[in-house]
Amino acid sequence: MDAQNRGRAEEIDPADQWVLNPTTGHYELRLNQSAGQSPRSSDSGSASVTGRRAARDGSGGTASGKTSRNGTPASRREVPGQRTRRAGGKAGGSRDDKAGPQAGRRKRKPQQTRKKKALLWTGGVTAFVLIGSSLGAYLVYQHFNGNLNTIDVPGAGSGGFKKDEAVNVLVIGTDKRTGAGNEGYGDKESLGHADTTILFHVSKDRTNATALSIPRDLKTDIPDCPTKIDGTEKVVPGERDVRFNTSLGQADRDPGCTMRTVKELTGMTVDHFMMVDFNAVKTLTSAVGGVEVCVAKDVDDPDSHLKLAAGKHTIEGEQALAFVRTRHSFGNESDLDRIQTQQQFLGSMIRKMKSSETLTSPSKVFDLAEAATKALTVDSGIGDIDKLRALGMELGKVNPKNITFTTLPVIDNPAETVKATVVVDEAKADPLFAMMASDTSLTEVKAKEKAAKSKQQALLKGPRSAAEDVRVSVYNGGGPPGSASSTLLWLQNEMLVTKSSNESNAPTQPKTTLKYAPNQADQARRLADMMGLPGAAMKPGTKDAKGLEPMTLVLGADFKEAGTRIAPPAKAPAGIQKVGADKSVCAK
């Protein structure tokens, strides 16, 4: 870093270029003598630092009685001095040190372990790891492990994630009025609802991600939820036809209840959750020096206290919170329009946190890590820095241009005269869920994916046999119980595939497959048409079938029910709202 850039790499250890500023409490780049900071060459430097801290703390003793991890009083921790290198490249004094310490010289401190030092420094730069998600970026570091809050939600998620599998993370923003300055927002007695909820789905190959916002006023069913309160397990009974936001906080429901509700709603298992409150928006935006937003018109909202002139602005803290909370400034003043505003804000926040402006600033990195870990509450599966870092590295592989924000398709609740809630628009939602579950991007991403799809589609081209000529044995390899028998009845009674049989269960597999011989290709294409099989499900063999040998259909975990198409649509349903995280959009 600094020493190397100034041509002094042989004299100064880069690890010593970062020091704790006792005034700000932040690690800062040590300047050389020409910049006004001289290296410490005696004990006088540490004495002055200790004196300043004692003056700040109001006594000559330790600050508030706190001690560092190694047992040293906090007020006596010293700023490390620069070390000169020996000819052999090791930090320390001259070769004469072998004879023992010189008079008046402080005893050299034991070196940190290689693992700890690697966490603290990497070439002189603080070793944080970027986490990319719908909330932005989280920088994790061992020092911040104690900041994390965790909740045990047994059985609610998948129990983990694998690097070679898709990942579903539920991001929950609550409206609980905790934290300084938040008491005046809305209902200060609120237990906290699932006010802002985003299902963040990352594809298996990490080329794309979809962030699905779920409206808080959606009418849905909440399943029974096992919870653990003060060490005691109990089951909170489910409810039918209630607002989605009551899946959290009400009747002792924890984030695991929200995870289960989302699974019932979308069919996708949620691996983990991350929950934040109002303070997260304020502290994270301030930590990165503000987030740029754009408004198409002048805004003056007395409820949220947002006041902005038309154009671009960099906002942080209370102003940023006002921006994501406002309901009366944009669109038709509904929660659905507020969701779009929040998505635009989060996209801008992701871009800012992944920018070189943030990542090359040690002070911003440090402040961001501190703010993020204090703001987060996570499930116990990722409740330590190492696990959260591993998850973050997976999420951070997705380029912002391939992260798409969208909203669950809904329509006004037909049961209401005065429209206050919404219900799922199943005609648009089901294809969208299928696209997410199959890792189909809402934006085009890789040319090789297009080529693969073309190859798969070629398998579906060609002549079809008559339905009564299709011979197939049906197995259940991951579908709901009874899938093979119900499919058999559907094929025989509704599709007239009379030469079909139910062969019970097969080993579990994630996707439905159809294995067939070259001389059965006509039959395979006909069955694929009936069931909506994608090209990827077609598994042609190399040897012709003999006699009355049937094809083999194995229903995988992607199978829902007989008569429901398995293949996801090639593109998003018309009319759904979507915007890329790399796009800057003005709120209207």
Side-chain angles (χ1 to χ4, degrees), residues 545-586:
K546 296 180 180 180
L548 303 179
E549 183 180 348
M551 300 181 293
T552 300
L553 174 67
V554 180
L555 306 174
D558 59 344
F559 180 81
K560 303 303 180 185
E561 60 181 353
T564 300
R565 294 180 61 83
I566 295 174
K571 60 181 180 179
I576 71 165
Q577 175 268 330
K578 60 180 181 177
V579 62
D582 64 323
K583 301 293 190 298
S584 178
V585 181
C586 283

Side-chain angles (χ1 to χ4, degrees), residues 200-370:
F200 194 70
H201 173 84
V202 182
S203 67
K204 178 179 178 178
D205 61 7
R206 309 301 188 244
T207 61
N208 67 86
T210 300
L212 176 72
S213 293
I214 302 175
R216 67 177 188 176
D217 294 328
L218 172 72
K219 279 296 191 76
T220 189
D221 297 337
I222 299 176
D224 293 345
C225 300
T227 62
K228 184 179 291 186
I229 302 173
D230 296 329
T232 302
E233 293 188 7
K234 76 169 191 175
V235 175
V236 179
E239 290 186 81
R240 296 183 61 83
D241 197 30
V242 293
R243 275 183 165 87
F244 173 84
N245 67 348
T246 61
S247 65
L248 175 69
Q250 314 307 301
D252 292 329
R253 293 191 179 105
D254 62 17
C257 295
T258 308
M259 294 170 73
R260 290 182 175 87
T261 303
V262 170
K263 181 178 180 179
E264 291 288 324
L265 186 64
T266 66
M268 289 178 281
T269 297
V270 181
D271 299 300
H272 300 286
F273 80 85
M274 296 180 181
M275 185 169 66
V276 296
D277 58 17
F278 288 150
N279 278 341
V281 175
K282 296 193 290 187
T283 57
L284 290 174
T285 53
S286 295
V288 296
V291 173
E292 184 180 272
V293 298
C294 177
V295 294
K297 60 183 180 180
D298 293 345
V299 174
D300 187 0
D301 180 8
D303 291 335
S304 67
H305 306 295
L306 179 65
K307 189 172 184 178
L308 295 172
K312 293 183 178 180
H313 302 269
T314 299
I315 60 176
E316 63 177 277
E318 292 286 350
Q319 193 176 33
L321 181 59
F323 184 84
V324 298
R325 289 185 64 244
T326 183
R327 289 190 63 166
H328 306 298
S329 300
F330 309 113
N332 61 7
E333 302 186 12
S334 70
D335 185 54
L336 296 178
D337 285 301
R338 179 167 66 169
I339 285 175
Q340 294 186 40
T341 302
Q342 292 172 344
Q343 291 173 348
Q344 294 159 17
F345 175 85
L346 291 173
S348 180
M349 195 168 183
I350 288 174
R351 295 192 298 273
K352 181 64 176 286
M353 292 188 180
K354 285 202 170 210
S355 69
S356 59
E357 175 187 350
T358 298
L359 298 180
T360 58
S361 170
S363 61
K364 286 184 179 179
V365 167
F366 189 96
D367 290 345
L368 183 55
E370 183 76 0

